[in-house]
Amino acid sequence: MKVFENLESEVRSYVRNFPTIFTKTKGSKMWDKNGREYIDFFSGAGALNYGHNNEKMKLALIDYITNDGIAHSLDMASDAKAKFLTTFNEVILKPRNLDYKVMFPGPTGTNTVESALKLARKVTGRTDVISFTNGFHGMTIGSLSVTGNSMKRKGAGIPLQNVVTMPFDNYINEQNSIDYIERFLEDSGSGVDIPAAMIFETVQGEGGINAASFEWMKKIDTLCKRWGIILIVDEVQAGVGRTGTFFSFEPAGIKPDIVCLSKSLSGYGLPFAVTLIHPDIDKFAPGEHNGTFRGNNHAFITATVALDYWKDNQLEQNIKAKSAKTHAFLHNLVEKHSKLQGEVRGRGLMVGVSCAVKGLASRIAAQAFDYGLIMETAGPEDEVFKLFPALTIDDETLEAGLAIIEKSIEHVLKKETQFV
């Protein structure tokens, strides 16, 4: 590991939590240079919902590359892009009665959020945006301005302005934050102008696996319609099946004005993002928002293959079954190990346990790594250990990973007498 300590910047983070050199991955398994096997409950922070090196995607990509398929094309037309657009429209948008134009803003989650914020401001002529407590939307200046984490915000080095933070669902003792928000909008003395947009995640990933209720999302949607506010839903981490349906907002019955997608959209871990825009607000002038790598043709290839999973409901049914098993296991764990002071959070296979004891979640995750399981923590104080298994994980591997979590909890609680 010395090469990383000596040559890589101090900003590195995941390598500190998983201090080994990985050499091979397949499905829900990873192997290091010593041949040790790890079960992956991290899934590239949600970028590998279909697991590592998915065979169908891999073969399609190899075939494309060996036949000299175009790799880089900015936003010029290509066969690969045409097939992705057509398939995405036929498999994802039309069956859900969704009408969106597809924008390729750049290859990452923060790129799609930046484009969404810029477009909302352009269309409405307003400057402010309402974001929500514990939200996370990216690390570039616009996206960071609507992110709640104080440590990440400080990294900007400049004031992050034109954003008002409002309470997310159940942020304050289950009080109705909708009434609170509406009061600010109605009262001319509140100091809050009518914003260009509201942006939220249906389940806050980095913010602590906080899941908004469907009722809360519907009320936010109604509020935005009433006041002429652009509704942006950030699906970067919660989307592409992670919560059980392709879009995490589907069960709420809402249709956002703008949808941000990235991470697992490529299906293979390749950088890829889109911004879905209702046609009525598709108002960018040609080139007004652009980027050199907004046309990742390799990602078009794998993303198109990944959409095969959504041509029927088999994957959704499998996610539902695995989610039920995982949630039941975690609820049992929390009940069985009261010293955790735990609370199960999340939806689908975007789930975690919040531990009231400071530092406990991090110690459990570290112990799990020692036992051969990779999972991360989330929340403003890293108080949640977070489970992100691949949506395609087999039952045997899922159960083995869950068993390691329980073993890790037992080890930590037994070893650290202050928790016993």
Side-chain angles (χ1 to χ4, degrees):
M1 300 295 291
K2 287 293 183 183
V3 64
F4 305 102
E5 294 172 18
N6 294 338
L7 300 178
E8 191 176 1
S9 164
E10 291 301 312
V11 78
R12 66 192 186 280
S13 59
Y14 288 119
V15 68
R16 299 178 191 273
N17 297 326
F18 311 126
T20 190
I21 298 176
F22 294 102
T23 58
K24 183 180 177 181
T25 59
K26 187 67 178 177
S28 292
K29 301 283 184 69
M30 302 178 71
W31 291 267
D32 68 14
K33 70 174 186 177
N34 298 316
R36 187 178 182 194
E37 181 180 281
Y38 295 83
I39 295 173
D40 185 7
F41 272 21
F42 175 54
S43 296
L48 294 163
N49 283 0
Y50 307 101
H52 296 270
N53 286 306
N54 180 281
E55 199 66 19
K56 285 181 66 178
M57 298 176 207
K58 179 175 72 174
L59 292 175
L61 182 57
I62 289 171
D63 182 65
Y64 183 78
I65 292 172
T66 55
N67 282 287
D68 293 327
I70 186 169
H72 180 267
S73 58
L74 292 100
D75 70 349
M76 291 184 283
S78 71
D79 259 355
K81 184 199 283 190
K83 288 174 183 175
F84 169 76
L85 283 168
T86 302
T87 307
F88 189 78
N89 190 50
E90 294 296 324
V91 174
I92 301 299
L93 297 182
K94 279 188 177 180
R96 292 161 179 79
N97 195 28
L98 295 172
D99 184 15
Y100 291 120
K101 294 299 241 359
V102 181
M103 173 183 176
F104 301 103
T108 70
T110 198
N111 289 137
T112 176
V113 171
E114 291 282 358
S115 67
L117 297 175
K118 285 171 64 174
L119 182 60
R121 287 173 168 136
K122 176 182 174 68
V123 169
T124 63
R126 306 178 204 136
T127 56
D128 287 355
V129 172
I130 287 179
S131 61
F132 293 89
T133 50
N134 287 316
F136 179 84
H137 300 285
M139 297 295 284
T140 49
I141 296 299
S143 304
L144 199 56
S145 71
V146 291
T147 288
N149 187 286
S150 60
M151 184 272 285
K152 291 181 171 63
R153 289 175 64 86
K154 287 177 183 176
I158 60 170
L160 298 172
Q161 301 173 324
N162 299 114
V163 174
V164 177
T165 303
M166 289 289 177
F168 192 67
D169 194 17
N170 289 333
Y171 180 72
I172 308 173
N173 299 324
E174 299 185 0
Q175 293 180 15
N176 189 347
S177 64
I178 302 296
D179 293 341
Y180 179 85
I181 297 165
E182 190 153 31
R183 178 62 178 152
F184 269 88
L185 295 176
E186 290 174 337
D187 185 3
S188 60
S190 70
V192 176
D193 294 328
I194 303 303
M198 290 191 193
I199 183 169
F200 70 85
E201 306 153 272
T202 65
V203 182
Q204 296 179 324
E206 303 306 308
I209 316 299
N210 309 306
S213 68
F214 300 148
E215 180 184 14
W216 185 85
M217 287 187 263
K218 287 178 182 176
K219 288 181 177 178
I220 290 290
D221 182 51
T222 300
L223 203 61
C224 286
K225 285 182 170 63
R226 176 185 169 190
W227 291 96
I229 300 166
I230 302 294
L231 177 58
I232 304 169
V233 175
D234 182 343
E235 290 276 296
V236 170
Q237 192 164 115
V240 195
R242 178 50 59 184
T243 65
T245 51
F246 187 87
F247 295 110
S248 68
F249 60 78
E250 286 180 53
I254 65 173
K255 294 181 179 180
D257 299 298
I258 302 176
V259 180
C260 300
L261 283 168
S262 184
K263 285 194 182 282
S264 279
L265 185 61
S266 79
Y268 203 70
L270 297 173
F272 187 37
V274 303
T275 309
L276 303 180
I277 304 166
H278 190 280
D280 289 347
I281 57 171
D282 183 27
K283 302 298 184 183
F284 274 136
E288 189 173 2
H289 184 96
N290 58 31
T292 303
F293 297 103
R294 64 191 182 276
N296 187 347
N297 285 270
H298 292 166
F300 290 145
I301 294 297
T302 57
T304 302
V305 174
L307 293 175
D308 286 348
Y309 279 102
W310 300 96
K311 289 180 177 177
D312 57 35
N313 68 352
Q314 188 61 56
L315 180 62
E316 283 194 20
Q317 292 303 313
N318 288 343
I319 298 169
K320 184 177 180 181
K322 292 181 176 76
S323 298
K325 178 181 291 188
T326 303
H327 283 252
F329 175 86
L330 293 176
H331 280 287
N332 181 62
L333 263 188
V334 166
E335 185 177 342
K336 183 177 177 181
H337 300 285
S338 60
K339 299 296 182 181
L340 277 176
Q341 299 180 44
E343 175 194 6
V344 179
R345 295 181 179 177
R347 183 153 60 91
L349 287 174
M350 186 172 186
V351 63
V353 173
S354 175
C355 303
V357 180
K358 187 174 182 180
L360 184 55
S362 294
R363 289 189 284 274
I364 290 168
Q367 186 59 52
F369 178 72
D370 286 345
Y371 285 146
L373 176 74
I374 298 170
M375 69 175 182
E376 68 169 335
T377 55
E381 303 294 332
D382 285 320
E383 73 276 12
V384 179
F385 62 83
K386 174 180 171 185
L387 285 67
F388 264 49
L391 308 182
T392 54
I393 191 171
D394 61 86
D395 287 333
E396 182 181 356
T397 306
L398 176 63
E399 290 164 8
L402 295 176
I404 289 175
I405 291 175
E406 182 162 24
K407 183 181 176 183
S408 301
I409 290 170
E410 291 171 347
H411 178 93
V412 170
L413 294 181
K414 183 178 179 180
K415 180 180 178 182
E416 303 190 17
T417 56
Q418 64 265 41
F419 303 129
V420 177

